[in-house]
Amino acid sequence: MVKSGRTEPENEVGFAKLQGEDFEFYMQTYSIIIGRSSKKMGGEVDLDLSGIGGGMNISRRHARIFYDFTRKRFALEVLGKNGCYVEGVLHVPGSPPVKLDSQDLLKIGDKEFYFLLPTRSIFEPRPIQRLNSGPYMRPSPSEEEDEEEEETEDEEEEEDEEEMEGPVLFSKNQRGNGLKSGTSSGLLVKKRVDREMDNQQLLLLEEKDVISSVATVLSDLCGPGEWMPMSHLHQVLFEKYGHVWHHGRVRKYLTSEDYSEIESQGKPWFGLLTLLRKYPEHFVINTRTKGRVTTEFVSLVSLLS
């Protein structure tokens, strides 16, 4: 069950936890399906991201997180056509299951969240109970042993952890792998700052790849000083790269979906035109207006080094 507040019952437990800025989900089975519930298709999922801001790119069955008993670890299997990001790396359907470590940042659609495991917290030195055949209970203060005995128990538990055949049970009262209660937002902010820096680098690489493709097309189809209508350039790029580029890049540079109707004026090459204007050392843009119709043309000044 997805929890968006902080008043959930104290006995909430699970084998792992998915923690976002505005929700948390306890994994209470060895395998869960993440996606978008659909009554028409009869497809209920364990975690419905479409209801908590996951965006429009969530498939009905987008991903499966499961415990791999053979390798004794959790893993993520990609099912949805738009793929999933694990620590900033895109994984697509057909890829081998991705090993999940605690505090891995996942992104499905527009939703970012952390995968957390119930290992002992650095903020809570008291050992965490392991899943066994008996009832799961936290030790009361009266059952705590003195400092010497507790250190011995810690050492024994570390040895037992290596022999554990199944996942540990995650109690709501326990904290996940070094995360102090109430500090997950701080970790999200810190990691987001680092990731935004990486994203800037990725954006520059993406832009360079796109303008390289444009320069190649222009050099192949136009001579020096010749002009190509943006509509024709868009057509050629869409035919050549529409099924090659990532869907996000296609939407950004070859459609007008990311822009308002007023801004793009219905021209699917608006994003591409905006990008080319950023590189006047390589491209010259010329516009011609006849009546109410404005036509854009582009010419290649120099190839990219």
PDB file of all heavy atoms in Angstrom, residues 35 42 78 122 135 150 182 223 237 250 299:
ATOM      1  N   GLY A  35       3.381  -0.003 -12.043  1.00  0.00           N
ATOM      2  CA  GLY A  35       2.859   0.448 -13.320  1.00  0.00           C
ATOM      3  C   GLY A  35       1.647   1.326 -13.171  1.00  0.00           C
ATOM      4  O   GLY A  35       1.609   2.216 -12.325  1.00  0.00           O
ATOM      5  N   GLY A  42      -8.422  -4.969 -16.800  1.00  0.00           N
ATOM      6  CA  GLY A  42      -8.387  -5.913 -15.684  1.00  0.00           C
ATOM      7  C   GLY A  42      -7.012  -6.047 -15.086  1.00  0.00           C
ATOM      8  O   GLY A  42      -6.648  -7.104 -14.584  1.00  0.00           O
ATOM      9  N   VAL A  78      12.658  -4.760 -16.288  1.00  0.00           N
ATOM     10  CA  VAL A  78      11.943  -3.732 -17.042  1.00  0.00           C
ATOM     11  C   VAL A  78      10.920  -4.391 -17.951  1.00  0.00           C
ATOM     12  O   VAL A  78      11.258  -5.286 -18.737  1.00  0.00           O
ATOM     13  CB  VAL A  78      12.922  -2.877 -17.870  1.00  0.00           C
ATOM     14  CG1 VAL A  78      12.155  -1.812 -18.635  1.00  0.00           C
ATOM     15  CG2 VAL A  78      13.961  -2.233 -16.974  1.00  0.00           C
ATOM     16  N   ILE A 122      23.259   3.335  10.718  1.00  0.00           N
ATOM     17  CA  ILE A 122      24.400   3.899  11.448  1.00  0.00           C
ATOM     18  C   ILE A 122      23.922   4.828  12.548  1.00  0.00           C
ATOM     19  O   ILE A 122      24.677   5.175  13.442  1.00  0.00           O
ATOM     20  CB  ILE A 122      25.335   4.678  10.492  1.00  0.00           C
ATOM     21  CG1 ILE A 122      24.562   5.801   9.795  1.00  0.00           C
ATOM     22  CG2 ILE A 122      25.973   3.747   9.490  1.00  0.00           C
ATOM     23  CD1 ILE A 122      25.425   6.703   8.948  1.00  0.00           C
ATOM     24  N   PRO A 135       7.442 -15.330  15.540  1.00  0.00           N
ATOM     25  CA  PRO A 135       6.843 -14.007  15.321  1.00  0.00           C
ATOM     26  C   PRO A 135       7.898 -12.927  15.316  1.00  0.00           C
ATOM     27  O   PRO A 135       8.906 -13.031  16.011  1.00  0.00           O
ATOM     28  CB  PRO A 135       5.877 -13.853  16.501  1.00  0.00           C
ATOM     29  CG  PRO A 135       6.433 -14.743  17.568  1.00  0.00           C
ATOM     30  CD  PRO A 135       7.059 -15.900  16.851  1.00  0.00           C
ATOM     31  N   GLU A 150      25.977  -6.798  24.157  1.00  0.00           N
ATOM     32  CA  GLU A 150      25.419  -6.273  22.921  1.00  0.00           C
ATOM     33  C   GLU A 150      26.438  -6.308  21.802  1.00  0.00           C
ATOM     34  O   GLU A 150      26.132  -6.615  20.656  1.00  0.00           O
ATOM     35  CB  GLU A 150      24.937  -4.839  23.159  1.00  0.00           C
ATOM     36  CG  GLU A 150      23.991  -4.347  22.072  1.00  0.00           C
ATOM     37  CD  GLU A 150      23.311  -3.064  22.493  1.00  0.00           C
ATOM     38  OE1 GLU A 150      22.904  -2.961  23.657  1.00  0.00           O
ATOM     39  OE2 GLU A 150      23.207  -2.180  21.634  1.00  0.00           O
ATOM     40  N   GLY A 182      13.002  10.775   8.825  1.00  0.00           N
ATOM     41  CA  GLY A 182      12.731  12.168   8.486  1.00  0.00           C
ATOM     42  C   GLY A 182      13.802  12.819   7.634  1.00  0.00           C
ATOM     43  O   GLY A 182      13.691  13.982   7.297  1.00  0.00           O
ATOM     44  N   GLY A 223      24.489  22.392 -50.717  1.00  0.00           N
ATOM     45  CA  GLY A 223      25.829  22.871 -50.989  1.00  0.00           C
ATOM     46  C   GLY A 223      26.144  24.065 -50.115  1.00  0.00           C
ATOM     47  O   GLY A 223      25.286  24.552 -49.362  1.00  0.00           O
ATOM     48  N   LEU A 237      14.940  14.452 -40.854  1.00  0.00           N
ATOM     49  CA  LEU A 237      15.406  13.989 -39.545  1.00  0.00           C
ATOM     50  C   LEU A 237      14.428  12.981 -38.931  1.00  0.00           C
ATOM     51  O   LEU A 237      14.852  11.976 -38.342  1.00  0.00           O
ATOM     52  CB  LEU A 237      15.587  15.176 -38.599  1.00  0.00           C
ATOM     53  CG  LEU A 237      16.758  16.106 -38.885  1.00  0.00           C
ATOM     54  CD1 LEU A 237      16.687  17.332 -37.972  1.00  0.00           C
ATOM     55  CD2 LEU A 237      18.090  15.384 -38.683  1.00  0.00           C
ATOM     56  N   VAL A 250      13.031  12.592 -29.362  1.00  0.00           N
ATOM     57  CA  VAL A 250      12.124  12.805 -30.493  1.00  0.00           C
ATOM     58  C   VAL A 250      11.049  13.815 -30.111  1.00  0.00           C
ATOM     59  O   VAL A 250      10.740  14.741 -30.871  1.00  0.00           O
ATOM     60  CB  VAL A 250      11.482  11.467 -30.926  1.00  0.00           C
ATOM     61  CG1 VAL A 250      10.396  11.716 -31.970  1.00  0.00           C
ATOM     62  CG2 VAL A 250      12.532  10.516 -31.476  1.00  0.00           C
ATOM     63  N   SER A 299      20.852  27.283 -42.819  1.00  0.00           N
ATOM     64  CA  SER A 299      22.040  27.051 -43.651  1.00  0.00           C
ATOM     65  C   SER A 299      23.197  26.661 -42.745  1.00  0.00           C
ATOM     66  O   SER A 299      23.324  27.191 -41.632  1.00  0.00           O
ATOM     67  CB  SER A 299      22.384  28.290 -44.452  1.00  0.00           C
ATOM     68  OG  SER A 299      23.555  28.083 -45.232  1.00  0.00           O
TER      69      SER A 299
END
